[in-house]
Amino acid sequence: MSTPIRKVEQVITPQAASDGAGVRLKRSIATQTLDYLDPFLLFDHFGSANPDDYIAGFPMHPHRGIETVTYMLAGEVNHRDSIGNSGTIGPGDLQWMTAGRGILHEEMPKTRQGRMEGFQLWVNLPAKDKMMTPRYRDISADQIPVVEEDSGAVIRVVAGEVDGVRGPVRDVIADPTYLDITLSADKSFSYPTPLGHTVFAYVFEGQADFGRFEDDTEATASGPQLVVFADGEQIQVHTQDEPVRFLLVMGKPLGEPIARYGPFVMNTWEEIQQTLREIRAGTFAK
Ligand code: FE2
C-alpha cells in the first residue's frame, strides 16, 4: 500500500503589511490571496535589522475567540496582559495565548538594537470554546526538544510529535502540529499528515521542492513563501544544492462560519456587535 503524497495547492509570496503601532511584516494568511486556511486565521512573519520597522511594537489591544502563537527567532519582546502575565521572550522562545472570552495584551520590542525576527499564527477556536477562560503560556527555547533524523533533518518540536518526541505545547484546542525544520542540501524529508487536516509549510531560509502541483509540475518554494498542501497522508520535501529552513504547521479544520473583525473572531455578526458593545461599555476582559 502506498501512502498518498499531498500535492501542492498554492505557493504564496507574502504581502507587505503593517500592524500594531506600525510594525512592518510579511503576511501570508489573512490576505486577499488567502483569507482563511481553516483553522488558521492569520500568519505573519516579522523580521528586520532596522529598528524603525519594529520598535513601535503592538501596544495594548484586545482579542476574543482565538489563540495566538508567537515564535521568536531573533531579538526580544516584552509582553504584558490583562490576566496578570508579564515577561520577556527571546530567540527560540514561544508564547501561546488563548484569548477565549477576552484578553488585553501588549507585545513591545525590548531594545532598538539588532535584528528582530519571528512569527505569529492565529488559530481559531471552535464555537463551544470561544468564550472560554483566557490563558497564557511562556515556553522557553530549552523546553523545545530537538530531533535529528537519519534523513539529516533537524526538527525543533514545538507542538505535535516526531519519532516519539512530543513538543511542550499540548493543550491547544485545535491540536495543531508546529515544527521548525532545517534540512541540509541534497536531502529528503517526509512526514505523516492526518487525512482531512490542513497543512502548510512556511519557508523562511533557502529553498526546497515540496512535491507537485495538481498539473504535475514541480512545486518549489524559496524563502519567504507559504506552501499550502492538498489533502493526503504525507508530505515529501527535497532539497537540491541549497539547504532549507521552514515551519511545518497542521491542524484540524473546524468547518464553522466565521465573523472576523480585527482582533475578534466569532461565528456571527451579532457576537461581534456584542463584543463591540462590551468594549464601548468598558466591560470587555473585566
Ligand atoms: Fe495581539
Side-chain angles (χ1 to χ4, degrees):
M1 280 286 286
S2 68
T3 307
I5 298 165
R6 286 185 184 239
K7 295 251 168 118
V8 172
E9 252 171 24
Q10 281 178 292
V11 175
I12 296 169
T13 299
Q15 291 177 13
S18 173
D19 211 334
V23 177
R24 294 179 61 174
L25 43 82
K26 303 178 191 79
R27 178 161 292 166
S28 37
I29 303 177
T31 66
Q32 283 185 342
T33 311
L34 186 61
D35 174 50
Y36 180 39
L37 189 61
D38 189 5
F40 305 113
L41 289 154
L42 175 144
F43 184 74
D44 282 345
H45 175 195
F46 50 93
S48 175
N50 176 4
D52 292 342
D53 290 342
Y54 62 75
I55 198 68
F58 298 85
M60 203 54 91
H61 60 278
H63 286 288
R64 172 175 278 179
I66 62 169
E67 299 187 89
T68 68
V69 185
T70 307
Y71 178 46
M72 296 292 292
L73 295 178
E76 288 187 308
V77 169
N78 286 326
H79 68 86
R80 195 160 62 90
D81 69 37
S82 56
I83 56 172
N85 300 293
S86 65
T88 302
I89 58 168
D93 297 344
L94 185 104
Q95 61 171 15
W96 202 291
M97 190 271 288
T98 306
R101 66 171 176 261
I103 200 166
L104 295 153
H105 74 161
E106 66 171 23
E107 300 146 301
M108 302 298 287
K110 196 171 176 184
T111 67
R112 38 162 65 246
Q113 267 140 42
R115 182 169 184 77
M116 175 75 67
E117 183 166 15
F119 308 97
Q120 189 168 77
L121 175 71
W122 292 13
V123 188
N124 203 4
L125 282 169
K128 68 176 175 51
D129 296 311
K130 281 200 178 290
M131 295 299 276
M132 68 185 282
T133 305
R135 58 187 189 182
Y136 173 86
R137 277 138 307 160
D138 240 337
I139 291 142
S140 59
D142 58 11
Q143 293 174 274
I144 299 174
V146 181
V147 175
E148 292 187 31
E149 290 196 325
D150 295 340
S151 66
V154 178
I155 307 170
R156 300 190 75 226
V157 188
V158 172
E161 191 173 317
V162 176
D163 302 340
V165 176
R166 280 187 83 196
V169 175
R170 293 179 186 185
D171 53 350
V172 170
I173 305 294
D175 193 21
T177 293
Y178 193 115
L179 309 174
D180 172 359
I181 300 170
T182 303
L183 193 62
S184 47
D186 275 319
K187 299 286 186 204
S188 294
F189 170 78
S190 63
Y191 191 78
T193 58
L195 266 180
H197 284 215
T198 298
V199 181
F200 74 83
Y202 185 77
V203 182
F204 56 99
E205 287 172 21
Q207 175 177 309
D209 301 327
F210 285 82
R212 294 186 171 271
F213 289 112
E214 295 292 351
D215 68 0
D216 215 37
T217 57
E218 195 138 40
T220 301
S222 46
Q225 276 185 324
L226 184 95
V227 179
V228 181
F229 291 94
D231 205 2
E233 292 179 14
Q234 61 168 308
I235 61 144
Q236 286 194 352
V237 184
H238 307 281
T239 50
Q240 295 182 6
D241 32 347
E242 258 194 86
V244 70
R245 188 172 176 193
F246 62 100
L247 302 180
L248 181 66
V249 179
M250 55 183 112
K252 190 175 189 300
L254 301 177
E256 294 178 354
I258 62 167
R260 177 204 290 242
Y261 185 81
F264 314 119
V265 187
M266 303 302 288
N267 299 104
T268 68
W269 282 107
E270 173 42 37
E271 290 165 336
I272 293 290
Q273 295 297 337
Q274 173 60 31
T275 304
L276 297 175
R277 281 194 293 272
E278 290 172 37
I279 294 275
R280 280 194 297 270
T283 56
F284 181 86
K286 287 276 152 53

